[in-house]
Each structure stands twice: as structure tokens, then as C-alpha cells.
Amino acid sequence: MNYSLSIKKWVWGICGAMAGIVLLATLMFIMLPAEARAVATANEIILAHWGYYMAAALATGLSSVGAGIAVSHVGAAAIAAISEKPEMLGRVLIFVGLAEGIAIYGLIISFLIIALL
């Protein structure tokens, strides 16, 4: 593989991820209630809850991306192992399930964050 082509893929991937984060933040800000978008008044400071929603979204999103990367590597190795020894199927499925569990952990963390509101 050409080295410059590999760098271009990473650059486009990072740009796409950043664009997705900006789009997500913009949509969350638009769809949040007016109380969460309030600014500080003269006598009291209203704490906006958008930080909680952003933390929950990042916990779910980044854990899903991490799980996708983990499953891609583990899945490729699993297919190679199964093709050599078909009796390894049960063991391999456990490792793929552990890699997918990362996304579930992120989802649980985001539920806990939102429950703290």
C-alpha cells in the first residue's frame, strides 16, 4: 500500500469524525430546551445541562468507534483462526463478544450520565 494513500485515509477519517462531532453538537444545541441554553443573568447563574448530553453522546459515540475498531481486528483474526481450525468457533465468538461489549459499556455510562440530571 502506498504510504501517502494511507495518510490520506487517516486525514479523511479524522476530518469526517470532527465534522460529525460539530454536527452533533450543533443539533444538540438546537434541540435542547430554552432553559439549557440560558446564559447567566444578573443575580443567578443557570447551569446548562448541555454538557451532560454532550458527555453522554461522546461516551456512546467514542465507545462505539472503539468497539468497531476492536471488532474489525478481532473479527479478522477470528476468521483466520476458524479457517485453520473450525473447532475454535466457540472460543473465537467469546473474544468477538468482548470486543462488542465496549459499545455496551459506553451506552451504560451514557445512561448513568443522563440519569444524574
Side-chain angles (χ1 to χ4, degrees):
M1 180 186 287
N2 192 0
Y3 183 70
S4 64
L5 182 62
S6 176
I7 291 176
K8 287 180 184 177
K9 287 183 180 180
W10 276 101
V11 169
W12 279 109
I14 291 172
C15 290
M18 291 300 125
I21 289 172
V22 169
L23 179 65
L24 177 68
T26 305
L27 288 175
M28 285 179 59
F29 184 73
I30 290 171
M31 294 187 180
L32 285 178
E35 295 85 23
R37 287 183 280 168
V39 294
T41 60
N43 294 330
E44 80 180 290
I45 297 175
I46 300 172
L47 295 176
H49 289 186
W50 68 269
Y52 289 105
Y53 296 119
M54 184 63 74
L58 286 175
T60 302
L62 293 177
S63 67
S64 297
V65 168
I69 293 170
V71 168
S72 70
H73 293 298
V74 173
I79 295 298
I82 292 171
S83 66
E84 291 182 12
K85 290 185 177 179
E87 63 270 7
M88 298 273 301
L89 178 67
R91 293 180 188 166
V92 166
L93 287 178
I94 293 172
F95 290 115
V96 174
L98 287 173
E100 289 179 4
I102 297 170
I104 296 171
Y105 296 144
L107 189 63
I108 291 170
I109 293 298
S110 66
F111 285 152
L112 290 173
I113 291 171
I114 291 176
L116 292 176
L117 289 177

